[in-house]
């Protein structure tokens, strides 16, 4: 250290000596020039002489500094009036000017290097900050959707929306309502209605939840026909390739016993006089009402004694009287329960999610390649996506080309995982929330899920919270695996979906019936444009609009008009006000007012009230999940009916969908 200090002092002394030598040389040169000017100016005054020497003084004082020049000129002007001593004073001024310059130059060198170091350090810190991972800078996530040429800055998402002045984990006024599906005193029971030797069989098609709607409707159809229902057969040849029998998924004894007062149910047709009846197979139109069953099916049932209704999905009208609707609710919410093994495993999964935090969200994510291809939507994957999904789309030869923008404008495109995450964050759910995801194969795999995981890093599924050994009894059967997801989603504190498929509808209705638990279904018609333009606005503006658009889509009481959607998703006929409590008005989207049915009063009309609006999914609206779409295409193109189906000349049939298309969205 002493050596370094000595070297530094020596260097400073050398610099001072050099500066003094340079000043002396310049002063000597100035003196010679001044004498020359005086000798050659015999007729000039002393003021003129001084005027001629001023440029030299300015030159010697490095005229790049205007202030120094002015000082020198003022001093020389004073010197020009000083008489015989002017010459000596002039040299002193020059010497002072030169010394001022060199001292200033040293000070600049002394302070300039630290200043440059500080500026460079700031730039390095900024570069390091923007190079950190997505979710580690100021607790924010930066997401960008769109092309690399997007002129707008990255869309910064906060880790939490903070307090929004409401409880995210419960709905408003839910304590004022209860599920009510008991039959009235005037509702005829099975002992009165059932006619001997009249059996109805059905083949429930599709995935777990589509089969559930078919089973529910089959009980009501048997009641309409005064028939005994045989335990339904589950479709084992569809897209889902599940060989499970009814008793391997549902508690068959609970099913029969709970409904014994409404409809007689047997496990199989009993022999009659030593002979077993061979059922007559037929099919009824979609959304067939009670008169339709009485005119089309009943004559055949009276004649044949046993009728099998094939591909029984959505074959009963949604527009029924209150007592028949409540029978539907008794089947769906009380009689149909899963087997003990499925319930036990499902409860274990729920318990493990509860151990991770006080609350959790369950997300039903439909983003499989086949489903995306059928939807005809554009998900931002460019040419690669169009080619891949286009090849899958060729499987349905009758499926015409769709306009992706038009499909999205109508709200028929499921949200991407990233869009679901943005919606949840805008609604107030922070990055610390635990998310259970029920999904199949996600198109794009981990790359597609990455934005959602960045927003909600506590990301779980049944495969991550249960071992392979625990899931082994269920993993080979798609419906049993779906049943596990169904239980977790039903028991979650908040349920959210990116689609409007059967599971989403079924759980939406079930959660309404059992206490209006928060159920978030995206208002896709309004959200699509917001997602497209989100990089043009601030996060605060984006989040505010999301919350506005989602009013009426959060599972609140009274947010859906009577007659809107199917009973499975909107069981208003089975929801009553609790006695002694008066319901308050719940905000719903503008221009969406309605008159709610008063509990306890039976509505025997078959007319739904309410106009077709943006609100939720409409029964008759053509959407990506409505399989009647394919039937309409076949009919318009003049396709024939399938062969090999027995039918009565008076019974009209509709063509079937291609197998993959029909079952793909049936979940």
């Amino acid at each position: 250290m002493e050596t370094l200090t000595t070297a530094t002092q020596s260097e400073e002394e050398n610099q001072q000596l050099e500066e003094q030598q340079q000043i002396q040389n310049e002063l000597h040169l100035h003196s010679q020039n001044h004498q020359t000017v005086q000798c050659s100016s015999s007729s000039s005054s002393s003021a003129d002489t001084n005027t001629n020497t001023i440029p030299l003084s300015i030159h010697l004082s490095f005229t790049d500094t205007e202030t120094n020049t002015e000082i020198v000129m003022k001093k020389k002007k004073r010197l020009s009036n000083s008489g015989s001593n002017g010459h000596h004073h002039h040299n002193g001024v020059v010497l002072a000017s030169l010394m001022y310059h060199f001292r200033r130059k040293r000070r600049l060198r002394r302070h300039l290097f630290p200043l440059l170091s500080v500026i460079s350090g700031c730039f390095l810190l900024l570069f390091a900050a923007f190079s950190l991972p997505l979710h580690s800078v100021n607790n924010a996530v930066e997401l960008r959707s769109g092309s690399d040429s997007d002129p707008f800055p990255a869309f910064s998402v906060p880790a939490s929306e903070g307090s929004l002045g409401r409880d995210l984990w419960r709905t408003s006024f839910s304590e004022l309502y209860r599920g009510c599906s008991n039959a009235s005193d005037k509702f005829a029971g099975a002992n009165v209605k059932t006619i001997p030797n009249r059996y109805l069989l059905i083949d429930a098609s599709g995935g777990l939840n589509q089969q559930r709607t078919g089973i529910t409707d089959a009980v009501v159809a048997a009641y309409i026909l005064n028939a005994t229902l045989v335990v339904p057969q589950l479709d084992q040849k569809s897209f889902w390739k599940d060989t499970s029998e009814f008793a391997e998924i549902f508690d068959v004894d609970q099913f029969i016993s709970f409904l014994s007062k409404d409809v007689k149910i047997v496990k199989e047709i009993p022999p009659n006089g030593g002979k077993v009846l061979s059922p007559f197979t037929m099919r009824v139109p979609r959304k067939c009402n009670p008169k339709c069953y009485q005119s089309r099916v009943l004559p055949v049932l009276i004649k044949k004694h046993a009728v099998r209704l094939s591909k029984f999905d959505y074959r009963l009208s949604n527009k029924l009287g209150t007592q028949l609707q409540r029978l539907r609710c008794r089947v769906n919410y009380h009689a149909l329960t899963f087997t003990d093994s499925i319930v036990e495993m499902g409860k274990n999964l729920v318990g493990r999610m509860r151990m991770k935090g006080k609350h959790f969200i369950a997300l039903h994510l439909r983003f499989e390649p086949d489903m995306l291809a059928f939807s005809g939507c554009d998900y931002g994957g460019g040419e690669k996506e169009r080619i891949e999904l286009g090849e899958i789309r060729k499987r349905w030869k009758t499926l015409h080309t769709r306009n992706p923008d038009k499909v999205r404008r109508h709200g028929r495109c499921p949200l991407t995982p990233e869009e679901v995450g943005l919606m949840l964050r805008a609604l107030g759910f922070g990055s610390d929330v635990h998310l259970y995801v029920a999904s199949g194969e996600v198109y794009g795999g981990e790359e597609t899920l990455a934005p959602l995981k960045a927003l909600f890093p506590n990301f779980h599924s049944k495969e991550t919270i249960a071992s392979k050994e625990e899931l082994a009894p269920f993993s080979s059967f798609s419906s049993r695996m779906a049943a596990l997801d169904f239980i977790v989603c039903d028991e979650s504190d908040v349920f959210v979906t990116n689609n409007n498929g059967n599971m989403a509808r079924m759980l939406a209705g079930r959660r309404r019936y059992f206490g209006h638990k928060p159920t978030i279904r995206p208002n896709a018609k309004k959200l699509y444009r917001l997602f497209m333009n989100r990089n043009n606005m601030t996060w605060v503006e984006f989040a505010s609009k999301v919350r506005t658009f989602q009013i009426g889509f959060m599972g609140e009481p009274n947010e859906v008009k009577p007659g809107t959607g199917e009973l499975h998703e909107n069981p208003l006929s089975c929801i009553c006000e609790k006695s002694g409590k008066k319901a308050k008005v719940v905000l719903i989207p503008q221009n969406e007012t309605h008159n709610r049915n008063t509990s306890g009063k039976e509505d025997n009309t078959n007319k739904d009230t309410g106009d077709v609006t943006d609100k939720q999914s409409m029964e008759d609206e053509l959407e990506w999940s409505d399989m009647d779409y394919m039937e309409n295409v076949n009919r318009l193109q003049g396709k024939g009916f399938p062969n090999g189906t027995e039918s009565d000349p008076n019974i009209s049939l509709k063509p079937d969908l291609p197998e993959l298309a029909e079952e793909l969205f049936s979940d």
Side-chain angles (χ1 to χ4, degrees):
M1 178 62 73
E2 293 179 356
T3 305
L4 180 61
T5 303
T6 304
T8 303
Q9 294 176 350
S10 177
E11 183 179 354
E12 291 180 352
E13 292 175 356
N14 292 336
Q15 289 180 355
Q16 292 177 356
L17 291 174
E18 289 176 1
E19 291 174 0
Q20 293 176 1
Q21 183 65 37
Q22 187 174 357
I23 291 172
Q24 291 177 0
N25 293 338
E26 291 183 358
L27 183 62
H28 178 69
L29 178 62
H30 170 68
S31 299
Q32 291 178 346
N33 290 339
H34 183 70
Q35 292 174 1
T36 304
V37 171
Q38 284 184 332
C39 294
S40 61
S41 307
S42 58
S43 62
S44 301
S45 65
S46 61
D48 294 332
T49 303
N50 289 334
T51 302
N52 291 334
T53 61
I54 287 174
L56 180 60
S57 298
I58 295 173
H59 175 72
L60 291 175
S61 62
F62 299 93
T63 58
D64 58 326
T65 306
E66 185 176 329
T67 303
N68 294 344
T69 302
E70 291 176 358
I71 293 172
V72 174
M73 290 178 68
K74 289 178 180 179
K75 289 185 177 182
K76 286 190 68 64
K77 191 172 183 179
R78 289 197 301 268
L79 289 173
S80 66
N81 299 323
S82 63
S84 60
N85 293 327
H87 177 70
H88 297 288
H89 285 290
H90 176 73
N91 290 339
V93 169
V94 173
L95 178 61
S97 175
L98 290 172
M99 291 181 68
Y100 172 84
H101 163 71
F102 283 112
R103 288 172 181 171
R104 184 172 180 274
K105 192 172 181 181
R106 286 182 62 192
R107 284 198 300 269
L108 286 174
R109 284 199 303 264
R110 188 182 307 160
H111 296 292
L112 185 60
F113 179 79
L115 180 62
L116 290 175
S117 300
V118 171
I119 295 174
S120 301
C122 290
F123 278 112
L124 288 173
L125 287 174
L126 288 173
F127 176 80
F130 285 106
S131 301
L132 290 175
L134 265 175
H135 53 278
S136 62
V137 183
N138 296 328
N139 292 327
V141 178
E142 291 186 356
L143 300 173
R144 179 183 295 278
S145 64
S147 63
D148 294 336
S149 61
D150 187 356
F152 298 101
F155 189 66
S156 182
V157 184
S160 175
E161 269 296 271
S163 176
L164 298 177
R166 59 184 176 85
D167 189 347
L168 298 172
W169 305 103
R170 63 182 296 273
T171 57
S172 303
F173 314 118
S174 58
E175 69 278 3
L176 303 178
Y177 299 90
R178 62 182 177 85
C180 53
S181 58
N182 291 336
S184 70
D185 295 336
K186 297 180 181 179
F187 188 73
N191 57 340
V192 177
K193 287 277 293 180
T194 307
I195 297 177
N197 205 29
R198 187 182 290 185
Y199 298 96
L200 178 68
L201 301 86
I202 66 113
D203 293 333
S205 62
L208 175 68
N209 295 284
Q210 185 167 324
Q211 290 173 351
R212 195 179 187 105
T213 62
I215 296 167
T216 299
D217 290 347
V219 174
V220 180
Y223 184 88
I224 293 171
L225 296 169
N226 300 334
T228 297
L229 178 67
V230 179
V231 170
Q233 293 289 316
L234 304 185
D235 186 1
Q236 299 177 346
K237 300 178 181 178
S238 69
F239 169 81
W240 301 101
K241 300 290 189 295
D242 191 320
T243 59
S244 299
E245 300 286 349
F246 184 99
E248 294 175 305
I249 298 176
F250 302 105
D251 186 337
V252 65
D253 294 327
Q254 163 74 4
F255 179 67
I256 294 173
S257 63
F258 190 89
L259 295 170
S260 59
K261 293 182 180 180
D262 300 311
V263 174
K264 184 179 180 181
I265 303 174
V266 296
K267 294 182 180 180
E268 58 185 12
I269 300 176
N272 185 9
K275 296 181 180 179
V276 178
L277 290 174
S278 178
F280 182 87
T281 302
M282 58 182 293
R283 195 173 307 154
V284 293
R286 292 283 175 94
K287 300 168 186 175
C288 188
N289 60 27
K291 289 185 178 179
C292 169
Y293 277 91
Q294 290 166 356
S295 63
R296 297 170 183 265
V297 182
L298 186 56
V300 181
L301 187 58
I302 292 173
K303 181 179 179 180
K304 300 291 186 179
H305 302 292
V307 170
R308 179 187 298 276
L309 300 179
S310 63
K311 288 194 175 293
F312 197 80
D313 56 336
Y314 302 104
R315 304 291 170 172
L316 180 63
S317 173
N318 186 55
K319 302 174 183 181
L320 301 176
T322 299
Q323 291 305 313
L324 290 181
Q325 297 288 50
R326 290 190 174 184
L327 176 56
R328 268 176 161 164
C329 292
R330 290 197 292 279
V331 179
N332 194 8
Y333 303 137
H334 299 284
L336 270 180
T337 60
F338 295 117
T339 60
D340 291 343
S341 60
I342 292 176
V343 170
E344 182 181 0
M345 187 66 222
K347 294 295 184 182
N348 287 339
L349 296 176
V350 172
R352 290 169 192 178
M353 289 302 300
R354 293 269 178 238
M355 292 174 63
K356 297 181 180 298
K358 184 177 179 181
H359 303 289
F360 75 94
I361 298 174
L363 165 63
H364 181 228
L365 183 66
R366 292 296 308 273
F367 214 68
E368 299 92 340
D370 292 325
M371 187 272 288
L372 301 187
F374 186 86
S375 71
C377 300
D378 184 354
Y379 298 96
E383 187 64 22
K384 178 176 180 290
E385 176 189 294
R386 285 191 289 273
I387 293 174
E388 291 177 349
L389 298 185
E391 286 298 315
I392 299 174
R393 195 171 171 83
K394 291 178 182 179
R395 300 177 188 177
W396 304 290
K397 301 186 183 301
T398 58
L399 196 60
H400 66 260
T401 302
R402 284 178 146 181
N403 183 331
D405 293 334
K406 183 177 180 180
V407 176
R408 184 172 284 273
R409 281 198 307 271
H410 284 79
R412 297 169 190 165
C413 294
L415 268 59
T416 67
E418 178 184 5
E419 290 170 344
V420 173
L422 291 173
M423 178 183 69
L424 288 175
R425 182 59 47 80
L427 292 173
F429 297 99
S431 60
D432 59 332
V433 172
H434 288 267
L435 186 67
Y436 178 92
V437 179
S439 70
E441 175 192 2
V442 174
Y443 177 68
E446 285 300 315
E447 183 179 356
T448 301
L449 291 173
L452 176 60
K453 289 184 174 182
L455 288 164
F456 293 94
N458 297 316
F459 189 97
H460 312 282
S461 67
K462 57 184 175 293
E463 288 81 10
T464 64
I465 62 176
S467 66
K468 290 184 178 180
E469 291 74 20
E470 290 176 307
L471 295 176
F474 316 97
S475 58
S476 299
F477 306 93
S478 60
S479 291
R480 300 183 204 181
M481 292 288 276
L484 297 178
D485 282 334
F486 187 96
I487 292 173
V488 179
C489 291
D490 184 35
E491 294 291 330
S492 65
D493 298 289
V494 173
F495 172 65
V496 60
T497 177
N498 74 323
N499 64 91
N500 199 32
N502 291 309
M503 182 169 173
R505 296 178 181 182
M506 187 68 69
L507 279 167
R510 184 179 181 86
R511 290 171 68 87
R512 288 186 190 278
Y513 183 84
F514 289 107
H516 287 91
K517 294 184 287 185
T519 303
I520 303 172
R521 304 176 68 190
N523 184 358
K525 287 183 179 180
K526 297 289 182 65
L527 291 177
Y528 96 92
R529 191 176 298 277
L530 190 60
F531 287 130
M532 296 292 289
N533 298 324
R534 68 179 182 263
N535 287 326
N536 299 357
M537 65 185 75
T538 65
W539 169 258
V540 173
E541 182 182 2
F542 171 84
S544 176
K545 289 185 176 182
V546 169
R547 292 192 287 271
T548 299
F549 293 158
Q550 281 300 119
I551 295 175
F553 291 80
M554 303 291 289
E556 301 276 354
N558 286 347
E559 69 179 10
V560 182
K561 296 193 302 183
T564 300
E566 298 171 352
L567 183 79
H568 304 301
E569 62 176 323
N570 181 28
L572 283 185
S573 299
C574 306
I575 295 176
C576 304
E577 291 181 15
K578 290 183 179 179
S579 59
K581 296 185 178 181
K582 187 176 181 180
K584 298 180 181 180
V585 176
V586 179
L587 291 177
I588 57 176
Q590 56 184 351
N591 301 325
E592 301 268 351
T593 58
H594 67 270
N595 295 320
R596 194 180 58 81
N597 287 342
T598 303
S599 72
K601 292 183 180 180
E602 181 175 351
D603 178 13
N604 291 319
T605 63
N606 287 331
K607 294 182 179 179
D608 282 338
T609 59
D611 300 324
V612 176
T613 65
D614 288 351
K615 206 72 184 67
Q616 303 280 30
S617 61
M618 305 304 166
E619 179 180 11
D620 298 322
E621 181 186 29
L622 180 63
E623 54 183 322
W624 65 267
S625 62
D626 190 346
M627 294 300 100
D628 280 336
Y629 166 76
M630 287 301 298
E631 293 191 356
N632 293 332
V633 171
N634 287 339
R635 186 174 70 253
L636 290 173
Q637 294 184 353
K639 301 294 181 180
F641 300 135
N643 297 324
T645 302
E646 286 189 75
S647 64
D648 187 276
N650 296 321
I651 299 173
S652 65
L653 300 179
K654 286 188 178 182
D656 280 333
L657 304 173
E659 181 178 296
L660 181 60
E662 181 177 13
E663 310 301 342
L664 190 56
F665 311 106
S666 62
D667 59 4

